[in-house]
Amino acid sequence: MIIVVFLTLVTQIGGVVWCINLAISSLYNKSNKKLFSIASFILLYLLFTFAIIPPMANQFGRTPLPANKHGVLAPHTYLTVLSNRHYVTPALKSELEDIANQYAKLNPSLKTIYLDANFPFIDGFPLLPHLSHNDGKKVDLSFIYSKMEN
């Protein structure tokens, strides 16, 4: 139960995926059941994160921010994407992409880096430690630094 609560608080979908995985792995009777259980959880979680959750999030008015670190709008770390903390409303995504493109025009090497945004489902679900990130309308952005020469 502790694992389910923890995974749900950190990723919103991890607890559900864990329960599905428990049901699947209970059907497996081999001696290396623990290894199979871990591997199947990872594969199932990745399947949900990259194939199932994004289209479902649209039904809740959320869309994922770009997951590619090579674009003008990029996550600070892939952990943000893997933990499903990169969902926003379509309007916010459009605004962020416009801002990122404007900054990139000023300096082609400049990227707009996001840190945490929101989970894919359910308004009001807290994104710890950012309790205000619960409606798809908030995102943390990294500061843009300029190296000053003496």
Side-chain angles (χ1 to χ4, degrees), residues 37-57:
S37 181
I38 292 168
S40 65
F41 173 75
I42 291 169
L43 291 173
L44 197 59
Y45 184 83
L46 292 173
L47 174 70
F48 268 79
T49 296
F50 293 109
I52 296 171
I53 299 303
M56 287 177 63

Side-chain angles (χ1 to χ4, degrees), residues 15-128:
V16 172
V17 174
W18 182 263
C19 290
I20 293 169
N21 185 60
L22 284 177
I24 291 170
S25 63
S26 69
L27 303 173
Y28 195 74
N29 292 329
K30 297 285 182 177
S31 61
N32 55 358
K33 184 176 180 176
K34 186 172 255 195
L35 179 61
F36 172 78
S37 181
I38 292 168
S40 65
F41 173 75
I42 291 169
L43 291 173
L44 197 59
Y45 184 83
L46 292 173
L47 174 70
F48 268 79
T49 296
F50 293 109
I52 296 171
I53 299 303
M56 287 177 63
N58 288 330
Q59 303 302 314
F60 290 83
R62 307 271 172 90
T63 186
L65 290 172
N68 186 343
K69 291 186 91 169
H70 302 292
V72 294
L73 178 61
H76 175 66
T77 175
Y78 288 121
L79 188 57
T80 301
V81 175
L82 286 173
S83 58
N84 294 294
R85 299 165 80 94
H86 67 297
Y87 285 84
V88 294
T89 62
L92 180 55
K93 180 181 180 180
S94 178
E95 188 69 29
L96 287 169
E97 289 174 335
D98 289 345
I99 291 168
N101 286 324
Q102 289 174 21
Y103 278 124
K105 283 180 187 174
L106 294 173
N107 183 345
S109 66
L110 189 63
K111 292 182 183 186
T112 301
I113 305 295
Y114 66 87
L115 305 170
D116 275 332
N118 299 266
F119 285 131
F121 308 119
I122 310 169
D123 282 351
F125 193 95
L127 180 109
L128 299 174

